[in-house]
Amino acid sequence: TVGFAMPSLQKAKDMAQSPVVKSKMEETMADQLNISKTNVYATLSVTTVRRLADVARRLAAKLNADYSISVPAGTSTSAVQTGVSGLASQTSQLTAALTQKLAGTNFANINVTVASVGAPTIVSAKGNQDSNPTEISGSTAAQDLMLMMITLVSTLMF
């Protein structure tokens, strides 16, 4: 999960419901990992947390993008996993990339900041955990696609 700090709950909800934002987030992740956008799927949701440090104890909105990434045959699963893990130290670059993708959309002027990047988990197409899933069996085009799902899991950083 990549969590984005949002200026308001309503803007977070609007973005979570937008197919344009979903597509731009998928494009951004694909670009960051050097893979095709067709291999990236995002699910957007909104969470709120109470900021105890604020005197008014306001709710802080967070837009979450849960990504699933299919790693095609011939692509190193560990390279993709390392790329996702590396995003945690590149939040300003990820913020800038998404801001650039949102330019020209209805959301161009919304201040979106990456607040958290969760650690990736590799899940095989069969649902088995596998730390080094490199073999592909079968001979059809569908079987030649290594369906490894990298699910990002994060904790709230507020």
Side-chain angles (χ1 to χ4, degrees), residues 127-151:
N128 297 324
Q129 292 281 350
D130 191 347
S131 61
N132 190 15
T134 56
E135 288 193 29
I136 303 166
S137 61
S139 59
T140 67
Q143 290 170 327
D144 287 342
L145 179 63
M146 183 186 301
L147 295 175
M148 303 308 300
M149 304 306 283
I150 298 177
T151 306

Side-chain angles (χ1 to χ4, degrees), residues 8 15 27 40 42 44 56 59 67 77 104 109 112 126 129 142 144:
S8 75
M15 289 183 79
E27 287 176 28
V40 178
L44 306 181
L59 290 177
Y67 291 96
T77 303
N109 296 322
V112 176
K126 295 178 183 174
Q129 292 281 350
D144 287 342

Side-chain angles (χ1 to χ4, degrees), residues 14-144:
D14 291 345
M15 289 183 79
Q17 295 172 359
S18 170
V20 171
V21 171
K22 179 183 180 302
S23 177
K24 296 300 182 183
M25 288 195 172
E26 291 168 347
E27 287 176 28
T28 301
M29 182 59 76
D31 290 351
Q32 296 297 305
L33 299 177
N34 246 358
I35 60 175
S36 170
K37 180 188 177 268
T38 60
N39 290 41
V40 178
Y41 180 79
T43 302
L44 306 181
S45 62
V46 177
T47 57
T48 57
V49 292
R50 200 165 287 282
R51 289 185 179 176
L52 298 178
D54 285 349
V55 175
R57 292 188 175 194
R58 298 179 189 158
L59 290 177
K62 189 173 180 183
L63 175 66
N64 298 303
D66 295 315
Y67 291 96
S68 294
I69 301 165
S70 297
V71 181
T75 301
S76 169
T77 303
S78 62
V80 174
Q81 184 178 18
T82 300
V84 171
S85 296
L87 293 175
S89 64
Q90 301 172 4
T91 57
S92 59
Q93 293 94 323
L94 189 56
T95 297
L98 180 60
T99 299
Q100 183 178 17
K101 292 282 185 193
L102 292 174
T105 72
N106 293 338
F107 303 98
N109 296 322
I110 295 178
N111 185 18
V112 176
T113 305
V114 175
S116 61
V117 177
T121 303
I122 297 180
V123 181
S124 73
K126 295 178 183 174
N128 297 324
Q129 292 281 350
D130 191 347
S131 61
N132 190 15
T134 56
E135 288 193 29
I136 303 166
S137 61
S139 59
T140 67
Q143 290 170 327
D144 287 342

